[in-house]
Amino acid sequence: MTKLTTHALDTYSGKPAKGMKVDVYFVSEKREKIKSVILNTDGRPDEFLIEPIKAGNYELVFYVGEYFQKIVKLPNPNFLSEVSIKFGISNPKEKYHVPLLVSPWSYSTYRGS
């Protein structure tokens, strides 16, 4: 079964980003919210973000500012408040895994499988 998954790794603490909120959107003529999830102790949602997936444009919004405010003292405003990853799914028969590696000052992502 085709699906969209994610996880977030806190590179500041060297741990999964437990408790981070993530919103999932499908983006066409308008931005349609599919769901919100809270990441578990492994930094992953307890459910697939979307299953099955369809071709189109998507966006994941990770609420990194809220997450890091709970574990480290940061200046106000935070350098990173939200990390938005916009990406396209061209082949809905494939699995798409979109992880986030994040600190209070930087982030990176890639397409996993």
Side-chain angles (χ1 to χ4, degrees), residues 90-91 94-99 109-113:
S90 59
N91 185 350
E94 296 178 354
K95 179 183 179 211
Y96 284 75
H97 181 68
V98 183
T109 189
Y110 57 92
R111 181 189 169 190
S113 58

Side-chain angles (χ1 to χ4, degrees), residues 81-109:
S81 172
E82 299 171 1
V83 171
S84 174
I85 302 173
K86 297 177 181 182
F87 58 97
I89 292 179
S90 59
N91 185 350
K93 294 180 181 179
E94 296 178 354
K95 179 183 179 211
Y96 284 75
H97 181 68
V98 183
L100 177 71
L101 289 79
V102 65
S103 82
W105 308 279
S106 66
Y107 67 91
S108 65
T109 189

Side-chain angles (χ1 to χ4, degrees), residues 18-20 64-74:
K18 175 186 175 187
M20 184 180 290
V64 300
E66 292 174 10
Y67 168 80
F68 282 114
Q69 284 177 344
K70 296 175 186 175
I71 62 171
V72 64
K73 183 175 172 75
L74 295 172

Side-chain angles (χ1 to χ4, degrees), residues 17-22 36-40 44-46:
K18 175 186 175 187
M20 184 180 290
K21 180 182 170 187
V22 181
S36 291
V37 297
I38 302 296
L39 303 182
N40 64 23
R44 300 173 186 274
D46 288 328

Side-chain angles (χ1 to χ4, degrees), residues 52-70:
I53 56 178
K54 62 182 180 179
N57 295 306
Y58 292 84
E59 180 180 11
L60 299 178
V61 178
F62 295 82
Y63 292 87
V64 300
E66 292 174 10
Y67 168 80
F68 282 114
Q69 284 177 344
K70 296 175 186 175

Side-chain angles (χ1 to χ4, degrees), residues 19-37:
M20 184 180 290
K21 180 182 170 187
V22 181
D23 288 342
V24 184
Y25 295 90
F26 183 77
V27 182
S28 56
E29 293 84 37
K30 61 180 182 167
R31 186 176 180 238
E32 176 187 343
K33 187 172 183 179
I34 297 169
K35 66 168 67 171
S36 291
V37 297

